[in-house]
């Protein structure tokens, strides 16, 4: 069985339709209605350096206004590490994206996943973002980008976690204000097509990114001690 067939079967088991619709759509339509509290924030958008450099204290402080969206204090460091690894362009560090990322990490915590598993999920998702971002990220608005990042993390958790949380639960917690389950599923399959249905990341690449995330969390712990 090929890797693509395994991925399709895995997604089907988590309630994701794998019908091969290939209509030309651009993720979420402009008519999708978002919460004004999400799209019209007065908080200062976060910024972070490019590449795998650790976020400076100034960059981390930009996440502090969104601390209420974090399940744990260390989630701010985890989010900062993800931004660095995923190579999100500075122009795309929006309040909407920060909130969505912190909410997504909080959802993973609520499922009682081990912290090492969560780090592994985010490391995978960072690789996915880096590899597919050239296709679309500069063309997307804040809502689209934030939702796609959430979906990449969903894909990563399907690959990493044995008992994954179904797409319907992710929709209820993170996406219901922005799109239907049907549209969410279509966007998910477009991402899978970009990945050629391959979710695995090479061990050396994965371990390097996990170390970066762990270094961010350890730094936060040392500041708090």
């Amino acid at each position: 069985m090929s890797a693509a067939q395994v991925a399709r079967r895995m997604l089907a088991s988590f309630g994701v339709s794998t019908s091969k619709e290939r209509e030309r759509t651009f993720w979420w339509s402009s008519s999708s209605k978002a919460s004004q509290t999400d799209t019209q924030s007065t908080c200062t958008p976060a910024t972070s350096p490019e590449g795998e450099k650790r976020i400076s204290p100034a960059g981390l402080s930009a996440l502090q206004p969104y601390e209420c969206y974090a399940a744990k204090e260390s989630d701010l460091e985890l989010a900062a590490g993800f931004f660095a690894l995923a190579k999100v362009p500075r122009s795309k560090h929006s309040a909407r994206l920060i909130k969505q990322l912190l909410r997504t990490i909080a959802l993973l915590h609520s499922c009682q996943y081990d912290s090492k598993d969560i780090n592994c999920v985010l490391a995978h998702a960072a690789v996915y973002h880096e590899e597919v971002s050239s296709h679309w990220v500069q063309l997307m608005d804040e809502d689209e980008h934030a939702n796609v990042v959430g979906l990449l993390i969903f894909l990563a958790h399907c690959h990493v976690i044995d008992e994954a949380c179904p797409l319907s639960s992710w929709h209820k917690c993170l996406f219901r204000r922005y799109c239907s389950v049907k549209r969410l599923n279509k966007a998910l399959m477009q991402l899978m097509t970009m990945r050629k249905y391959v979710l695995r990341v090479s061990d050396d690449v994965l371990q390097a990114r996990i170390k970066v995330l762990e270094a961010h969390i350890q730094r936060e712990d040392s500041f708090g001690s």
Side-chain angles (χ1 to χ4, degrees):
M1 184 179 296
S2 68
Q5 289 174 320
V6 172
R8 289 191 184 97
R9 180 170 295 183
M10 175 190 67
L11 288 174
S13 70
F14 298 136
V16 179
S17 171
T18 55
S19 61
K20 295 186 178 180
E21 294 178 325
R22 288 296 178 262
E23 297 178 16
R24 180 64 177 174
T25 58
F26 195 66
W27 311 103
W28 283 266
S29 64
S30 58
S31 61
S32 296
K33 295 182 179 180
S35 167
Q36 290 185 350
T37 57
D38 279 344
T39 59
Q40 298 180 0
S41 173
T42 57
C43 298
T44 303
T47 57
S48 65
E50 297 178 355
E52 296 184 9
K53 298 177 182 178
R54 291 168 63 180
I55 305 299
S56 66
L60 180 61
S61 66
L63 301 180
Q64 294 295 337
Y66 309 97
E67 188 174 6
C68 60
Y69 295 93
K72 299 180 178 181
E73 289 185 11
S74 60
D75 287 353
L76 294 179
E77 285 279 0
L78 202 55
F82 178 85
F83 278 134
L85 291 175
K87 298 184 179 179
V88 179
R90 294 189 181 204
S91 61
K92 293 295 183 177
H93 290 188
S94 66
R96 172 75 173 90
L97 175 58
I98 297 169
K99 292 176 183 179
Q100 183 77 331
L101 178 57
L102 290 173
R103 285 168 172 159
T104 303
I105 296 172
L107 174 60
L108 296 174
H109 285 307
S110 72
C111 294
Q112 299 184 338
Y113 297 140
D114 185 80
S115 59
K116 291 184 178 180
D117 287 336
I118 293 176
N119 290 349
C120 188
V121 166
L122 293 178
H124 276 82
V127 174
Y128 300 165
H129 185 281
E130 181 181 355
E131 291 182 352
V132 306
S133 62
S134 61
H135 293 282
W136 45 260
V137 69
Q138 292 294 352
L139 301 176
M140 287 188 168
D141 63 24
E142 292 180 1
D143 286 334
E144 289 173 324
H145 187 208
N147 287 334
V148 167
V149 168
L151 275 182
L152 291 174
I153 297 174
F154 171 81
L155 285 176
H157 113 289
C158 286
H159 177 66
V160 173
I161 305 294
D162 290 335
E163 297 183 4
C165 181
L167 183 63
S168 58
S169 296
W170 283 64
H171 177 264
K172 182 178 180 180
C173 294
L174 300 173
F175 303 104
R176 61 189 174 93
R177 295 181 179 178
Y178 303 97
C179 67
S180 65
V181 175
K182 181 178 180 180
R183 182 169 290 278
L184 186 67
N185 185 82
K186 183 176 290 187
L188 185 65
M189 296 314 299
Q190 286 178 293
L191 287 174
M192 284 295 293
T193 299
M194 286 184 179
R195 291 286 308 167
K196 298 180 179 179
Y197 289 88
V198 176
L199 298 180
R200 185 182 181 279
V201 174
S202 64
D203 291 340
D204 56 339
V205 171
L206 179 62
Q207 291 304 317
R209 280 153 179 75
I210 289 176
K211 287 181 180 179
V212 171
L213 292 174
E214 290 177 344
H216 277 80
I217 297 174
Q218 289 170 1
R219 185 183 65 181
E220 192 277 337
D221 290 342
S222 66
F223 287 164
S225 60

